[in-house]
Structures are given as C-alpha cells and as structure tokens.
Amino acid sequence: MIPVNIVTGFLGSGKTTLLKEILARPEFSDTAVIVNEFGEIGLDHILLEEVEEGVLLLQSGCVCCTIRSDLQETIRNLQKKVSDGEIPVFRRLIIETTGIADPAPVVSTISTERVINKHFYVGNIICTVDSLTGLSNLQSSPEASKQVAIADRILITKTDIADTIKRGLLENTLVRINPSASFRNSTGKNFDAKHIFLDEFRDPATRSDEILAMLKRDASLPKRMKRETSAHHHEISSFSVEFSVPIDWVAFGVWLTAVLHVHGENILRVKGILDVRESNTPVFINGVQHTMHPPIHLDQWPDENRYSQIIFITRAIHEDLIRRSLLQFLGLTTEGYHIQSAVDQTKLFN
Amino acid sequence: MCGLCGLMGIEHWTETSANSEAFISDTNRSIRNERAHRVELINRALGPLKMRVRDFQASSYTLTSATGRTEIVHDIQSLWVAVENISACPVDPLDPDYLDHLFGESP
C-alpha cells in the first residue's frame, strides 16, 4: 500500500516551499506529487502531475463525500504510467491542495474510491500555517480553520521572521482548535520531515508514542479555553469523552455511523483509543468527517491509564449532546465515564 | 447492495471480522452473533421510526418500514441512507427529541 500525504494550508502559507524542500531530500526521491496548479515557485520533479478541479457527488454524499473525479483520474493515470514504464515506481504520493481548498474530498477520494483504496491509503494530513498571518487567517477564514482542524501535522512556517509573542498566540490557538495534531516549526529548510511525513499511526514502531502525545496534549487543555477558541473560530471546538469501563464496539459503531450519516460534515475529526469488550488491548480509531479509517490494534496501552478516550473536533455541535447520546447508545450510566470538566476545574487552579 | 462489493469482499469498518487483527479477545463473538447483536441495537435505534431491520444470510440487512416497504442494504452505512430514503427523515442520535424517545430503553 502506498501512503498519500495531503498538504493543505492557506494561501501563501508555504506549501510549495515545503514540497520543494522535501523533494530535494534523498528519502523522498521516490515520491510522486500531484498539485492543483503549477505555482510561481517552480517544482522540478520527475513525478509531477497537475490536476484541474472536477467533482463527482456521491449519491449519499455531502460536499466532504465528493469523489474528486479529476484526482481519481490523475492517480489512475500515474499508476498506468508506472505499469507502462513511462515513469519510475513511486512509493509515496503527495497531493498539494489549493490555499482555499477543503481537504476532505481528497481524503474521501483516496478512502472510498474502490480501485484507489486497494493500492493507496491516507497518510498524514499536513497543514502549513504562516506564523505572520496565520492568526488573522484563522479568525477571518472558515477554510483556514477547517484545514487546521483536519490536520494530523501542523507546520508553522516562517518562524525565523515572526516575533515570539505572535508565535505564542498562534500556537495556543492552533492547539485549542486541534489538540490531536502535533506541531513543528519551519524556517523554510530546517524542519522535521520524518515526523511530518513518515511517522504515522499505522507504524507500530512509533504509534504508541504518537497516541500518548496526542492524548496528553488534549488533556492539558482546560475546557474553558477550548470554548473561548470556538467562539472566535467559526464554531470549531474540540473536546474529549472518556469511559472508565470497557465499551461495546458494535454499539459504538451503530452510534458513530448514525451520527456521521447526519452530522459528518460537522464532525471534522474523531480520534482516540477505545477499551472495547471485543479486545484485550486498546483499539485506535481515526476519522475525517464521514470517512473512518479501519481501526488499528495496539499491542499495549500507551501509559498506565486504561480507559477509552475519544477526541472530537466539531463545528457547531455541542459536546453535552455528544456525551448524552453516546452514553445512551452504549447503555452506560454516568458512572461509566469520566466527566472532563471535573478534571479541567482541577487544572485551572493548579 | 452493489454486486461488486460482494465480489471484492469489501467489509465495513465497524465489522470486527473485517479487522480481526484489531479485535483480539478471548470473548470474541462469532460473526453471526455479532450481526445479531448489531441488528438488536439497530432495531432499538429504529424504534421511534417504526422500522425494523433483519440480518440477511450474514451478508446483508433487510430494512422494512411500517408500510412494508423493504430494502436490502450491504452494511450499516448504507442502512442509514436507506432509512432516510424510506422515511424521509434520518435517525439523528444528536436530536434531543429522538433521544427522549429512546430514554429508558437504551440500546
């Protein structure tokens, strides 16, 4: 299976600079790249394809469930060129979206197109954020906030020319919008490309540390701060739901599929580890809007805590409703789950 | 159901059998048992809409409305689409009124 990295980020945030830098590195020499348009910064790369916007709306789909027909065709053409010997075999595919694009249809295309998903899977979604203009973009543009909310990795660019206070404010905002993503800084050339692109949840060697870091980031945020962020960023908010007893995977699946059917467009991300009755060890779940990736088995718990913790990043959906609904579908009482606000209150005064 | 799904063996992410490496337990349900449990839970969720679902040969589900209209669906995701098509309103687990109807009979 070939990993597909989606590089998103607002206009001028440094997506093409990032691509130009990594394509010069030997570890990315067998990477194919699909761009929406050939930009001003020339990319000199043998495996470069341009794609023009075109969409197919699935029968049951909302915007995020569209199959990008253009992308579908471009990926299939790439494979055909490889089999015809026109281009070398590639072992990674990077898709760069336009600055105002919604990355969700790209995820949907890779995950649901029945030929493509036999050969490709969605790897890390990378969002570049300009340290100079990022904060104002997040406040003024719903697209910019959504790109951050969907990302697995956030690369804060131009950090060498931004002042420390502005950078600090931006980082605080980003982690509140998306505590499930990890952050790295970039000055154009110096950044951790391995972490950004290569380390991923599917890799058994690194995923335990990844998941632990993600859960810790989320747990460190007081609920009050998340609510304040939601008010200023297009009603996007994050929260986590925790269960102290093993849950019924089948009931969880019934609940989540029904929720995503109606509200998938506004459930921007679902990530977490579950203590399920059907497994002695935790199960990792990961989804982008309507698209859920196959659950992953973890060999062990990432730390001494043994309970389910699910992080939701939603738009205009209140966490109390998610909690009440999930609890009811799982047939649990309030004793079966942790109330995050109690934890938050403690942290606020420490 | 699309015939291609059966041919290509595409299973939904909620099926433990599709992710056997992820669900490792001494108390694992059989496929038939898991499907029976899923049907029971879905039927509770469909209660307020007066619809019923049944397992069809451990490969599909049949959805029947109060008027007897029936559809065959391949997986649970297609089921929610069919429910909305037949009843003109979806099962919305985040609708407080719907949850009130389920109160006292949690799935």
Side-chain angles (χ1 to χ4, degrees):
Chain A
M1 294 283 276
I2 298 170
V4 181
N5 294 120
I6 299 162
V7 175
T8 185
F10 207 63
L11 301 162
S13 60
K15 297 184 292 298
T16 311
T17 308
L18 167 67
L19 285 184
K20 198 171 183 182
E21 171 60 23
I22 62 152
L23 292 175
R25 301 187 182 195
E27 63 267 38
F28 291 92
S29 60
D30 52 2
T31 299
V33 182
I34 295 175
V35 295
N36 267 98
E37 56 206 353
F38 293 117
E40 288 176 12
I41 305 171
L43 279 173
D44 182 19
H45 189 60
I46 190 168
L47 293 167
L48 186 67
E49 293 283 330
E50 187 182 24
V51 67
E52 288 177 13
E53 299 261 356
V55 294
L56 292 175
L57 190 62
L58 296 181
Q59 191 191 355
S60 60
C62 65
V63 175
C64 75
C65 286
T66 49
I67 291 277
R68 292 262 312 258
S69 56
D70 53 342
L71 189 60
Q72 178 186 14
E73 201 163 313
T74 307
I75 294 174
R76 287 184 178 188
N77 280 343
L78 268 176
Q79 280 184 299
K80 187 173 182 304
K81 283 181 182 174
V82 170
S83 58
D84 291 348
E86 290 177 33
I87 58 171
V89 173
F90 59 92
R91 293 191 170 77
R92 179 171 298 274
L93 175 61
I94 297 178
I95 299 172
E96 180 196 353
T97 70
T98 59
I100 52 167
D102 178 356
V106 180
V107 176
S108 172
T109 302
I110 310 297
S111 306
T112 59
E113 211 278 344
R114 284 178 177 157
V115 175
I116 292 174
N117 70 13
K118 287 280 170 283
H119 303 278
F120 297 87
Y121 69 90
V122 178
N124 291 338
I125 302 172
I126 298 126
C127 179
T128 52
V129 180
D130 186 328
S131 56
L132 298 170
T133 60
L135 208 51
S136 60
N137 289 339
L138 288 170
Q139 284 167 351
S140 63
S141 161
E143 292 86 2
S145 294
K146 187 178 174 186
Q147 288 166 350
V148 166
I150 282 181
D152 297 298
R153 302 279 192 256
I154 294 174
L155 189 67
I156 304 171
T157 59
K158 308 172 191 174
T159 50
D160 49 335
I161 49 175
D163 68 68
T164 320
I165 297 172
K166 205 167 192 175
R167 242 174 61 195
L169 281 172
L170 176 63
E171 284 173 18
N172 277 338
T173 303
L174 292 171
V175 77
R176 290 179 207 175
I177 293 175
N178 186 351
S180 73
S182 66
F183 297 77
R184 290 292 186 273
N185 292 324
S186 169
T187 58
K189 287 194 178 297
N190 301 316
F191 61 89
D192 187 353
K194 178 179 176 296
H195 177 74
I196 297 284
F197 286 91
L198 307 182
D199 296 344
E200 54 183 47
F201 288 115
R202 286 171 68 109
D203 182 356
T206 55
R207 70 177 161 221
S208 194
D209 290 343
E210 286 260 336
I211 291 168
L212 186 59
M214 177 186 82
L215 299 178
K216 280 188 172 168
R217 262 193 311 275
D218 178 70
S220 68
L221 289 171
K223 193 174 180 179
R224 179 178 56 84
M225 286 168 64
K226 291 181 183 177
R227 283 199 178 131
E228 285 168 2
T229 305
S230 166
H232 294 104
H233 296 93
H234 317 283
E235 297 188 87
I236 292 176
S237 62
S238 70
F239 52 89
S240 61
V241 180
E242 300 167 0
F243 295 95
S244 57
V245 295
I247 63 171
D248 179 346
W249 169 259
V250 177
F252 179 76
V254 169
W255 177 81
L256 188 56
T257 51
V259 168
L260 292 181
H261 173 67
V262 184
H263 299 281
E265 206 166 353
N266 292 319
I267 308 268
L268 303 180
R269 285 224 75 151
V270 182
K271 266 187 192 175
I273 53 169
L274 300 181
D275 180 9
V276 294
R277 292 178 197 163
E278 293 82 355
S279 179
N280 298 326
T281 45
V283 172
F284 175 70
I285 56 161
N286 184 10
V288 180
Q289 295 194 292
H290 287 96
T291 307
M292 286 299 295
H293 301 303
I296 293 175
H297 165 250
L298 303 182
D299 290 329
Q300 57 187 18
W301 288 88
D303 64 3
E304 69 282 0
N305 295 317
R306 286 175 169 261
Y307 54 82
S308 303
Q309 186 176 346
I310 313 163
I311 299 171
F312 292 89
I313 304 175
T314 64
R315 184 170 47 200
I317 293 179
H318 200 279
E319 58 184 282
D320 291 344
L321 204 49
I322 292 265
R323 282 204 174 91
R324 179 192 165 192
S325 175
L326 181 51
L327 210 63
Q328 210 162 326
F329 268 69
L330 291 176
L332 293 177
T333 64
T334 47
E335 289 166 4
Y337 80 118
H338 294 219
I339 299 171
Q340 182 74 32
S341 56
V343 179
D344 289 334
Q345 289 300 318
T346 315
K347 280 178 193 155
L348 281 176
F349 296 107
N350 283 340
Chain B
M1 178 177 86
C2 157
L4 197 61
C5 299
L7 285 174
M8 295 178 75
I10 294 168
E11 291 185 84
H12 195 256
W13 63 267
T14 52
E15 313 266 343
T16 57
S17 55
N19 307 283
S20 53
E21 76 292 347
F23 297 97
I24 301 165
S25 169
D26 304 334
T27 56
N28 250 343
R29 300 180 174 106
S30 67
I31 293 177
R32 197 167 282 277
N33 198 297
E34 178 188 323
R35 293 180 71 88
H37 181 50
R38 183 174 292 111
V39 163
E40 182 192 345
L41 296 173
I42 294 170
N43 278 332
R44 287 192 195 169
L46 290 176
L49 277 72
K50 312 283 183 220
M51 300 177 100
R52 299 282 299 170
V53 71
R54 272 194 287 184
D55 186 21
F56 181 72
Q57 296 186 350
S59 63
S60 310
Y61 301 97
T62 56
L63 173 71
T64 308
S65 71
T67 60
R69 186 174 160 186
T70 299
E71 273 198 36
I72 299 178
V73 292
H74 179 57
D75 57 40
I76 190 168
Q77 200 72 59
S78 320
L79 177 93
W80 300 127
V81 177
V83 167
E84 186 171 3
N85 288 343
I86 292 177
S87 70
C89 71
V91 166
D92 181 0
L94 301 186
D95 176 355
D97 292 336
Y98 169 78
L99 290 175
D100 287 342
H101 274 93
L102 287 180
F103 188 74
E105 47 166 334
S106 50

